[in-house]
Every structure is written in structure tokens, then in C-alpha cells.
Amino acid sequence: MAELNSPLILGGLHLKNRVVMAPLTRSRATDERVPTAMMAEYYAQRASAGLIISEAVVISEQANGYLNTPGLFTDAQVEGWKKVTQAVHDQGSLIVAQLWHVGRVSHPDLLDGATPVSSSAVQQKGQVSLLRPKRDYVAPHPLEISEIYAITEQYRQAAVRAKEAGFDGVELHAANGYLLDQFLQSSTNLREDEYGGSAENRARFLLQAVDALIEVWGAGRVGVHLAPRGDEHDMGDDDPRETFGYVLEQLGQREIAFFFTREYLAGDSISAYLKQRSGGKVPYIANMRLSRADAVQLLASGQADAVSFGKAYIANPDLYERLLENAPFNELRLESMIGVQSAEGYTDYPSLQDRAGAGCAQH
């Protein structure tokens, strides 16, 4: 029976335990999207996790939708990430790079005036995150097939740079309403060519990107991030079981290292079904609103191979130890999650050891 502290093999990744740090955008990179020494400290603090999935990393300047998110398309960015990966490795953990293109979830003001891209010209409802003064999203430019091939190559090049930077693998971000999700789900993909219509066609871009990453890393060091609920960035699909099920069938044939779903537990959850659709060949990392009891039960029952936490890892650098000991968590400071260019709310959360030391100092 698997427990939180049970080791786990995910393809070519040998995890010391089954607790995974979820990818978390924190916007602490430089204006040139270069990781900083503070970022290295942040990840090292959390390296008791069996695996860290990095914050989302843009594959080109045109892939971005937020200020100060890190990239993997310049030499300077590679050098910055080397410090991060070394800091994590020094603590005995593994880290994979989550590769990201936001698609329509951007604005010309973030793209030097260029129009954001997507599968189809379907404008997202709402206003662009973090830009002030507030402004609406715009109708995106539907990608030409030649542009799809060019972006696939950008994913491949980012994977090459991830290897140069010392990562242990890569995770393809195909979730949360970003570019690959925009192709996958029927509400945003209205295309009538080989990238639209059937689930097979809508999944084509995602799978081409997966194959590009496998070409660089081998299947055993490639993961895929999915969000079958379609509950972010104005998404939706006519038949999520079939759409995402087809994706897992294909990922099962490729025998990738893992798939990760952002899907809270409920009666209509489909992640366990998705694992079945892979033929049981793709290990599953569960995520979203998990309690400690949820995590323990998912592992004990074999429903999930590993469990992942996001916001809890922001506030608790030693979350793994807290989960083992069933210790209380620090309170999350929402105001400093994103957009604060300082250590406040980033590297200053106390560990259990810090608290114990402070208690001793007071006596």
C-alpha cells in the first residue's frame, strides 16, 4: 500500500516520496524573464518534495501572458535556471520544467502590439489578469498550419534548453485554457482543417508537441498537464470524457512518465477513468484542493500514484514534513502571491524547524 513517504518511479524519474510540488506562477523573474538567486532559494526550500514541477516557463516572448514569468528561450535564462536546478539537486530532489504557451490568454500590450494567437478567433470573456488599467481580452489570431509547426519547434527548442539548464525532465502545459487546451476543447476550437472537428484532430497539436519533447528527452522524462473540468479561462468541451480519454489513449501508447490533472475530487471527476484509458501505462499525479486525508486515501487505494499541492506549498516550504507529521499549515498570504518583486510572501514563510528555534530563543 503506497503512502506519502513511499518511493516512486515515474518513467526515468526516481522520486524519494510521492508528494509533488505543483507548478505555481509567482512572477519573480527579471524583466528579461531570467530566473534569480531568490528563485533558487525558493525552490531549494521546498525540495523535500519527491518532485518539483517548475512554475510555467514560456517557450518564446510571444508565448507570454504575464509580466516577470520566466522563460527558456535565451542563453541568459538557461544560466539562471542552472542555479535553480542545482539548488534543488543539492537538496536531493528532482525538478522538471513546465513548458508554456498561453495562446489567447494575453494582450497586445504584453506582445509588443501583436495579436494573441489561438486555435480559432474566439475571444475570451473577462479582463486580462494583472494588467492595469484593466482591459478586455481581444479576439485572437487563428494559427496557420505553418505557425503551428513553428510553435511545435519552439517547444522542442525549449526542451533542449531545459536539458542544458539541468532539469530532470519536462512537463507540457496543456491545461487551464492555455494554447494547447484551446486547440483541445470544443468551445474554443472551431477549425475545419486537420486540427479541428474530431477529438483526434483537436488533440493533434498537443500530441505533436509531446512527440517533440520525447524526441529530446525520451518518453520516460516527459509529463503532460491537463485540466478536464475546463474551469479556467472561459473553457468548455462537449464531451470531456471522450476528448481527454483520447489524449490518454495516445499518451499510453507513448508510455510517457506521468499525467497530472488539475481536477478537484467530486462525483463527476474523470481522472481515474483517464488513467484506465491510458491502459494503465501512464502514472497519475492528483492535484487541486486536496486535504491530507484525501492524499492519504488516494495513495492507499491506488487511485493516484502521487499527490500534488500548490498553494499549500507556497505557504509551507516544508509541506512534506508537515504532511507526514500531520502538523498545522502556515496561513497563505494572498496579497503577495503574484506581482510582488521581493522575498515577502516568497522565501520568508517559516518552517516547523524555524518555529521551534524561535520558541527556544524565547525561553
Side-chain angles (χ1 to χ4, degrees), residues 212-227:
L213 304 188
I214 291 173
E215 181 186 330
V216 176
W217 279 96
R221 290 182 180 269
V222 173
V224 174
H225 200 93
L226 298 167

Side-chain angles (χ1 to χ4, degrees), residues 47-101:
S48 58
L51 175 68
I52 292 174
I53 304 175
S54 81
E55 62 203 280
V57 181
V58 289
I59 59 172
S60 71
E61 193 56 55
Q62 294 302 305
N64 96 82
Y66 306 85
L67 297 172
N68 299 106
T69 52
L72 256 176
F73 55 90
T74 70
D75 291 344
Q77 291 161 358
V78 169
E79 291 305 310
W81 278 118
K82 283 181 180 178
K83 297 179 178 66
V84 175
T85 60
Q86 187 62 54
V88 171
H89 293 155
D90 286 347
Q91 297 299 318
S93 192
L94 305 174
I95 181 168
V96 299
Q98 188 189 58
L99 304 182
W100 192 31
H101 193 308

Side-chain angles (χ1 to χ4, degrees), residues 272-284:
Y273 163 76
L274 296 181
K275 184 177 179 181
Q276 291 175 6
R277 282 289 292 267
S278 81
K281 294 179 180 178
V282 184
Y284 162 45

Side-chain angles (χ1 to χ4, degrees), residues 168-180:
D168 298 292
V170 288
E171 187 199 55
L172 183 66
H173 197 342
N176 301 356
Y178 296 120
L179 182 62
L180 296 174

Side-chain angles (χ1 to χ4, degrees), residues 181-242:
D181 209 14
Q182 293 158 29
F183 270 78
L184 183 61
Q185 298 201 43
S186 59
S187 66
T188 44
N189 187 337
L190 310 181
R191 299 174 75 98
E192 297 180 350
D193 61 8
E194 62 262 47
Y195 288 91
S198 66
E200 180 181 355
N201 283 353
R202 286 181 280 116
R204 191 179 304 277
F205 188 8
L206 189 166
L207 294 170
Q208 282 178 193
V210 169
D211 289 340
L213 304 188
I214 291 173
E215 181 186 330
V216 176
W217 279 96
R221 290 182 180 269
V222 173
V224 174
H225 200 93
L226 298 167
R229 289 195 180 278
D231 53 0
E232 280 280 304
H233 292 127
D234 192 26
M235 296 299 294
D237 188 76
D238 291 338
D239 189 352
R241 282 174 70 89
E242 183 49 40

